[in-house]
Amino acid sequence: MPPATESANASVSASVSASAAEIQQPGLRARKKQRRFEEISETAIALFLEKGFEKVSVAEVAAAAEVSKPTLFRYFASKEDLVLHRFADHEDEAARTVAARPAGLTALDALHRHFLAGLDRHDPVTGLNDAEGVLAFHRLLYGTPSLVARLHGYQNRSEQALATALRDAHGGTPLAARLAAAQIIAVHRVLAEDNWRRVAAGEPVAEIEPEAVRSANTAFTDLRTGLTRYA
C-alpha cells in the first residue's frame, strides 16, 4: 500500500476512533454521574434511618459520601431531595401510562390496569410491599413532616403532567383535565397509603392483596361514575 494511502487510512481510523470516543464519553460521564447520584442518596438514607432525618446534617452526609457540600448540592437541591428523589422516577408515571396506552383503551382504563399490575408485582409505590427496606423507607418518609410537605410538590407535578396527557388523549379544557388528574393522583396516593399502613401494622401482604385489588376496582369505578353515591 502506498505511504500516502496508509497515511490517509490512518487519518480516517483516528478520526473514526475520535468520533466514537466523543459519542461514548458523554454516555460514560452520564453513567458515572448517575452512580455518584445514587451513592450519595443511599448514604444519606442509611444515615437518616440510623439516626433520624432531623439529627443528620447535610455536612455529615457529604462527609460520609466523600464529597463536598457544594458537590452534594449540585446533585440535590435540598436535604429532603436526598430522600424524595426516589419519587422523581414516578413523577410522570401516570402521564406516561396514558401516553403509551394501546389504541382503543381509555386513559382511565389504562391507569386502572397499571395500578392493578403494580399490586400484582408488589411494587413499593402501591404500598403493598413488606420488604424491611421498603417499610423502613416509608416510616422515615411519613414520620418526617418536612418530607411529607416536600412530597406534595412531587404530587403536584404528577398532576400537571397527567393533566397534559389527559388533554392530549381526550381533549377538554385545561381545568377539566387538571380536576380529573387531581382525583386520579389522589386515588393512587390514598390506596397506597392505606396498603402501607396495614402492612406496617403487621398484616401479611398475602391477606391484604385481595382487598387491595377490590379497593382499587371500587375506586376506579367511582372515578368513572363520579360522586353519584354522595350526591
Side-chain angles (χ1 to χ4, degrees):
M1 182 179 293
T5 303
E6 290 178 359
S7 176
N9 286 342
S11 177
V12 169
S13 296
S15 176
V16 169
S17 297
S19 297
E22 289 170 0
I23 292 170
Q24 293 172 5
Q25 193 62 27
L28 177 62
R29 283 198 298 270
R31 288 194 298 273
K32 289 176 68 175
K33 184 176 181 180
Q34 182 62 28
R35 281 197 300 271
R36 176 56 63 88
F37 178 90
E38 292 169 358
E39 288 167 359
I40 295 171
S41 175
E42 292 305 316
T43 298
I45 290 172
L47 286 171
F48 297 151
L49 290 174
E50 178 187 354
K51 301 180 179 182
F53 183 81
E54 304 296 347
K55 294 182 180 179
V56 178
S57 67
V58 171
E60 188 174 351
V61 173
E66 300 182 339
V67 297
S68 66
K69 279 181 65 176
T71 296
L72 184 148
F73 281 121
R74 283 202 294 271
Y75 285 92
F76 299 93
S78 72
K79 182 181 175 182
E80 287 76 14
D81 286 338
L82 286 160
V83 177
L84 291 173
H85 84 88
R86 289 186 177 183
F87 286 88
D89 293 338
H90 299 283
E91 197 170 282
D92 63 347
E93 186 171 336
R96 286 186 279 110
T97 298
V98 170
R101 75 194 190 286
L105 192 68
T106 67
L108 202 53
D109 285 345
L111 291 164
H112 187 179
R113 287 186 185 183
H114 184 73
F115 192 83
L116 292 178
L119 290 175
D120 184 60
R121 64 176 181 271
H122 298 172
D123 189 329
V125 79
T126 67
L128 195 65
N129 188 299
D130 60 0
E132 182 51 41
V134 173
L135 288 174
F137 178 82
H138 283 151
R139 284 194 295 268
L140 170 68
L141 172 62
Y142 294 117
T144 308
S146 63
L147 292 175
V148 173
R150 187 81 171 184
L151 181 59
H152 289 315
Y154 284 83
Q155 292 167 343
N156 191 51
R157 289 189 291 274
S158 291
E159 288 178 12
Q160 293 173 345
L162 179 56
T164 299
L166 291 175
R167 284 199 73 201
D168 291 343
H170 296 292
T173 66
L175 179 59
R178 185 65 189 276
L179 288 169
Q183 293 177 72
I184 292 166
I185 295 300
V187 161
H188 283 193
R189 176 180 58 79
V190 172
L191 289 172
E193 286 181 3
D194 187 63
N195 292 336
W196 170 73
R197 294 188 193 287
R198 293 181 64 182
V199 173
E203 293 186 56
V205 165
E207 293 181 12
I208 299 170
E209 186 170 356
E211 190 173 342
V213 170
R214 287 194 295 272
S215 295
N217 288 337
T218 299
F220 277 92
T221 296
D222 286 346
L223 284 172
R224 291 184 183 90
T225 59
L227 302 178
T228 54
R229 73 176 65 193
Y230 304 108

